[in-house]
Amino acid sequence: QIALPSAQQVQLTTQHRMVAPIGNLISRVFYDNTLKSVRNSTCPILSQVFRKPVTWFSTSKLKTRGERNAGASFLNLTEAQEILKVIERIEFYANALKSGSKGSKIAEKVTIAILSGYAAQTEHIDNLLEQKRRRWQYVEVTCNTVDAFQGREADLAIFSVTRSNLQRRAGFLQSRERINVALSRGRNGLCIV
């Protein structure tokens, strides 16, 4: 890898892909507030489901919140179920919006990327999704590890943190670069479970 001379390096300072609340979070956490966001328009379906474009869902009060070892990986059954509930709500509101608009069609499906740092979690969620995908009309869902999804985007990114333990082992969360990728994949919404 060859580095360019500093005179030929330029930092991009304006981003147009993510809505401002997501872009501002990324700027604050990863770029020392140097990244400016100019996009404010949101998805009408997602704004029915989430009050704000960046939403946290905590499983800390649920008794079954902890992760499980899965070989060299981890999975979290409770998070997977909560993520399915979120997607069902999006499908419900998309259907309601279509029905309420006197038969007019929603032009596109809401694209959703479910991301985790752990292959066992993405495989588990993907297996759960197989049972549901056939009946969803308004959502298109993909499930990947953060590393596999780098460079791609979706209307909504759902980040499954997966690790939830009393020993406070961070695992995947120790990598700032990977967390940056995980949190910056959604154009209109970011949901952290």
Side-chain angles (χ1 to χ4, degrees):
Q1 188 172 354
I2 300 172
L4 290 173
S6 60
Q8 294 176 338
Q9 294 178 17
V10 175
Q11 180 179 344
L12 300 177
T13 58
T14 305
Q15 72 84 22
H16 299 268
R17 183 173 52 83
M18 299 171 277
V19 292
I22 301 171
N24 293 342
L25 170 70
I26 300 302
S27 179
R28 200 170 25 255
V29 174
F30 300 103
Y31 298 102
D32 200 27
N33 285 320
T34 59
L35 186 64
K36 302 299 176 222
S37 298
V38 295
R39 196 168 141 255
N40 290 310
S41 62
T42 60
C43 170
I45 296 166
L46 293 177
S47 60
Q48 292 290 315
V49 177
F50 306 109
R51 284 189 226 175
K52 297 181 179 183
V54 178
T55 304
W56 291 75
F57 283 96
S58 174
T59 61
S60 64
K61 303 268 190 249
L62 303 175
K63 289 182 181 179
T64 59
R65 70 173 165 74
E67 80 269 7
R68 296 181 182 185
N69 285 351
S73 190
F74 291 91
L75 66 102
N76 188 311
L77 305 176
T78 299
E79 278 187 22
Q81 289 299 322
E82 294 302 311
I83 288 167
L84 282 180
K85 289 177 189 176
V86 169
I87 296 169
E88 290 285 354
R89 284 179 50 200
I90 295 167
E91 176 71 16
F92 173 82
Y93 278 102
N95 185 36
L97 243 156
K98 180 195 180 295
S99 300
S101 58
K102 300 185 180 171
S104 69
K105 293 185 178 182
I106 294 173
E108 298 175 19
K109 291 184 176 190
V110 176
T111 58
I112 302 170
I114 303 169
L115 306 172
S116 177
Y118 301 96
Q121 181 73 348
T122 60
E123 289 168 16
H124 177 69
I125 293 171
D126 218 24
N127 288 335
L128 293 175
L129 291 174
E130 272 313 305
Q131 303 165 11
K132 308 269 185 182
R133 276 190 176 112
R134 288 182 213 101
R135 62 183 181 84
W136 288 334
Q137 297 177 42
Y138 304 107
V139 296
E140 182 179 306
V141 184
T142 58
C143 188
N144 279 294
T145 61
V146 173
D147 292 342
F149 203 75
Q150 189 166 352
R152 297 169 57 193
E153 59 188 53
D155 294 321
L156 171 67
I158 300 175
F159 179 47
S160 176
V161 175
T162 308
R163 301 295 292 270
S164 179
N165 56 69
L166 297 175
Q167 293 81 19
R168 303 197 189 286
R169 293 175 300 213
F172 180 86
L173 297 176
Q174 292 175 0
S175 170
R176 287 182 55 80
E177 295 81 10
R178 285 175 160 163
I179 297 302
N180 186 356
V181 171
L183 301 182
S184 64
R185 301 300 93 199
R187 289 185 295 264
N188 298 302
L190 168 63
C191 178
I192 303 165
V193 182

